[in-house]
Amino acid sequence: MKILYVIDRLSGAGPARSIIELAKYQRQLGIEHQHSVVTLARESYPLSLVMAARAGMEVCRQADEAALRDRMATADIVYVSFWNNPATYAFVRSKLPPARVLLRLHILGEH
C-alpha cells in the first residue's frame, strides 16, 4: 500500500513526529507499506529529516503542483495534516485529483 503524507513542513512537533513514528513502527512490525511525505514548505527540521529517512520514508520538500498531483494520483491513501496556515489552505483549495484522503486537523487550545 502506498501512503502519501502531505504536511506543511517536517518540524520537530507532533504532526510530523506522528507520521514518522507510524512509518517506523509499521516497518518494525514487518508491515511493508510504502510511506512518502510531501512538504508544502521547503524548511524542515534536520532531525526530522534524519528520522524520516531511518523510518524508510521518501521525503519530497516543497513539490510543485504537478508533482504533488502525480503523487496523489498514485497513492492508495493521502494523509493530510491540516494546519492553519496559507500553504495548507492553498493546497486544500487547489484542483486535486480523485484520491482517498484522510484529513487530520491539529488543534491546540482549550476550546
Side-chain angles (χ1 to χ4, degrees):
M1 178 175 291
K2 293 171 78 172
I3 303 169
L4 174 67
Y5 302 93
V6 179
I7 192 167
D8 174 51
R9 69 193 74 229
L10 282 179
S11 67
R17 294 291 298 270
S18 69
I19 64 174
I20 293 169
E21 294 298 310
L22 178 62
K24 178 179 98 175
Y25 288 120
Q26 283 191 355
R27 187 175 187 184
Q28 287 177 357
L29 291 170
I31 301 170
E32 296 297 324
H33 293 320
Q34 179 184 347
H35 297 269
S36 59
V37 60
V38 173
T39 65
L40 301 175
R42 179 82 185 141
E43 311 84 38
S44 289
Y45 188 61
L47 183 57
S48 292
L49 292 171
V50 170
M51 291 171 61
R54 286 183 182 159
M57 297 181 84
E58 175 192 358
V59 177
C60 177
R61 293 190 288 167
Q62 199 176 17
D64 62 34
E65 280 188 49
L68 181 53
R69 280 194 305 272
D70 289 345
R71 288 173 180 263
M72 288 181 70
T74 61
D76 295 305
I77 297 172
V78 179
Y79 179 112
V80 179
S81 292
F82 185 86
W83 193 254
N84 184 17
N85 66 41
T88 306
Y89 278 106
F91 166 73
V92 171
R93 291 180 176 144
S94 67
K95 184 174 171 102
L96 301 174
R100 289 185 189 127
V101 177
L102 169 65
L103 183 65
R104 182 172 177 201
L105 302 173
H106 301 279
I107 301 169
L108 178 63
E110 292 182 34
H111 309 285

